[in-house]
Amino acid sequence: MKAVYLVLLLVAVTAALDLDQQLERDEIIDAVNSGHSTWTAGRNFNPSITKKYIKHLLGTFRRPEGSRLPALVDDGLEIDLPKNFDAREKWSKCISLQEVRDQGPCGSCWAVGAAAAFTDRYCIASKMAFNGHLSAEELLSCCYECGDGCNGGFSDMAWGYFESNGIVTGGDYHSHEGCQPYTLPTCEHHVPGKRKNCKAYGNLPTPPCKSKCYNKKYKDHSFIKDHHKVKSTFSISNNVKQTQKEIFNNGPLEASFTVYEDFLSYKSGVYQHTSGGYLGGHAVKVIGWGVEKNVPYWLVANSWNSDWGDHGFFKIKRGNDECGFEDDMSGGYPDV
């Protein structure tokens, strides 16, 4: 019995030490940069950032194939897709498309990615009549069926919530924009920068769900009337052409994928997994595609602020379901 206890104690101590491991190791960065890689690695995160912290940021859960959103039915119309496409250029007047959100010290990527894509698609569908931001905060705090707030959630359930409940307006932290702005602070996940280090906040709890506009500038607005919905939802699984066509016609989608250690150190080029172990699931906004040095890629906005990667954006290899990226795309059609 004593031997069993010692084994269990050793396992627990080993797991705790593993979570305290510093992730952005030079050997991983060197492994990417010394080979014939399609991308360049460099230090993005503060050296004090541990595996435990990073795993908390990766808050996207995947649902079984049979329980996802309805598969998008193709209309059968053929269109000429460009070799390179960037939604920021086609819909340049939509302010949300030009920005990178910051999920802060919270595993809210599933909510931030969904709200960001919904915001872009609402601006596009309304022909810029709506050109603000929709609230990741209400989705994060009030969609109980989506998961567990800052401890993670399901991206496709977020789009289901947009259809059944909708979300109010709300900008980034300290933006004082909309009904429910994001209350979790933007912070420096990365090397020393202009923001306060995220570790100073610790792992913040999920904000409480509130059925009112708490932004003082919006105090006279109706919480109920401020809601924006989608009229239908869909998913796309492993269909590159259908995904391109949907983004080209109607705007960005949300993608869920598997994150490995080397992804943390992305700086430029077309990412594909090279080195390092599994960390968790992440959700992001897909805004286009292209080809770089004969390598096809998806163009993506992350939610770790503009100091990470390529000013907050990255490219990931297209056409081979890299890290499960093409397996689980989700979206909806705004009810405008």
Side-chain angles (χ1 to χ4, degrees):
M1 192 69 181
K2 186 176 181 181
V4 173
Y5 173 76
L6 289 174
V7 170
L8 292 175
L9 180 62
L10 180 62
V11 170
V13 170
T14 303
L17 290 173
D18 181 57
L19 288 176
D20 286 335
Q21 170 191 347
Q22 292 183 355
L23 277 184
E24 273 206 310
R25 302 192 302 277
D26 289 338
E27 58 264 34
I28 291 180
I29 294 173
D30 291 343
V32 173
N33 293 337
S34 62
H36 299 287
S37 180
T38 56
W39 61 288
T40 302
R43 189 167 290 280
N44 277 316
F45 288 84
N46 190 291
S48 65
I49 295 296
T50 62
K51 188 173 185 177
K52 181 179 180 180
Y53 177 79
I54 294 297
K55 287 179 76 70
H56 183 67
L57 289 183
L58 302 174
T60 295
F61 308 142
R62 289 207 175 192
R63 282 161 35 105
E65 181 71 35
S67 61
R68 296 179 185 174
L69 295 175
L72 179 64
V73 178
D74 198 305
D75 59 15
L77 299 176
E78 292 290 331
I79 62 172
D80 291 327
L81 293 168
K83 182 179 179 180
N84 298 282
F85 177 73
D86 187 338
R88 293 173 296 181
E89 297 173 359
K90 181 173 182 178
W91 297 290
S92 59
K93 293 184 179 179
C94 287
I95 57 175
S96 60
L97 261 168
Q98 314 304 320
E99 302 167 342
V100 173
R101 295 200 186 195
D102 187 355
Q103 65 189 77
C106 166
S108 57
C109 55
W110 62 273
V112 172
F118 182 20
T119 298
D120 295 341
R121 291 175 75 87
Y122 207 98
C123 177
I124 293 165
S126 70
K127 294 180 172 54
M128 273 65 77
F130 174 84
N131 201 2
H133 298 85
L134 297 177
S135 177
E137 179 97 359
E138 184 187 359
L139 175 63
L140 173 69
S141 303
C142 301
C143 184
Y144 302 116
E145 64 269 28
C146 289
D148 190 19
C150 279
N151 296 314
F154 299 95
S155 299
D156 56 347
M157 294 296 287
W159 290 90
Y161 188 78
F162 296 157
E163 184 175 18
S164 62
N165 183 84
I167 53 173
V168 293
T169 54
D172 291 335
Y173 179 70
H174 271 174
S175 67
H176 305 294
E177 180 199 338
C179 176
Q180 291 194 356
Y182 202 60
T183 58
L184 295 168
T186 182
C187 56
E188 207 64 61
H189 307 279
H190 321 291
V191 293
K194 59 187 177 182
R195 304 170 181 86
K196 190 173 181 178
N197 192 302
C198 290
K199 290 197 73 176
Y201 298 105
N203 292 334
L204 297 179
T206 305
C209 178
K210 296 181 179 179
S211 299
K212 64 178 181 180
C213 294
Y214 50 71
N215 180 6
K216 292 181 180 179
K217 291 184 178 181
Y218 249 64
K219 63 182 180 180
D220 295 327
H221 288 69
S222 167
F223 174 78
I224 300 298
K225 290 183 179 179
D226 195 51
H227 276 79
H228 299 71
K229 293 185 175 185
V230 298
K231 55 191 175 184
S232 62
T233 60
F234 60 85
S235 63
I236 305 175
S237 181
N238 290 309
N239 191 323
V240 171
K241 290 294 184 184
Q242 189 179 38
T243 302
Q244 290 177 295
K245 182 178 173 181
E246 180 58 33
I247 294 173
F248 184 80
N249 285 333
N250 300 303
L253 297 173
E254 185 178 23
S256 301
F257 71 110
T258 298
V259 169
Y260 297 93
E261 290 179 71
D262 59 351
F263 176 75
L264 305 180
S265 303
Y266 172 88
K267 283 294 186 181
S268 63
V270 181
Y271 173 80
Q272 52 184 314
H273 175 47
T274 302
S275 178
Y278 167 84
L279 290 176
H282 192 41
V284 289
K285 184 178 73 172
V286 191
I287 65 170
W289 63 84
V291 178
E292 184 176 291
K293 297 179 180 178
N294 295 319
V295 181
Y297 66 81
W298 295 110
L299 181 61
V300 190
N302 202 354
S303 55
W304 293 343
N305 77 47
S306 57
D307 287 346
W308 178 88
D310 186 4
H311 303 288
F313 295 86
F314 69 97
K315 298 167 184 171
I316 187 170
K317 193 173 181 182
R318 169 170 53 96
N320 65 323
D321 196 25
E322 182 68 36
C323 299
F325 196 85
E326 291 156 5
D327 179 56
D328 192 12
M329 302 273 189
S330 52
Y333 295 111
D335 187 7
V336 295

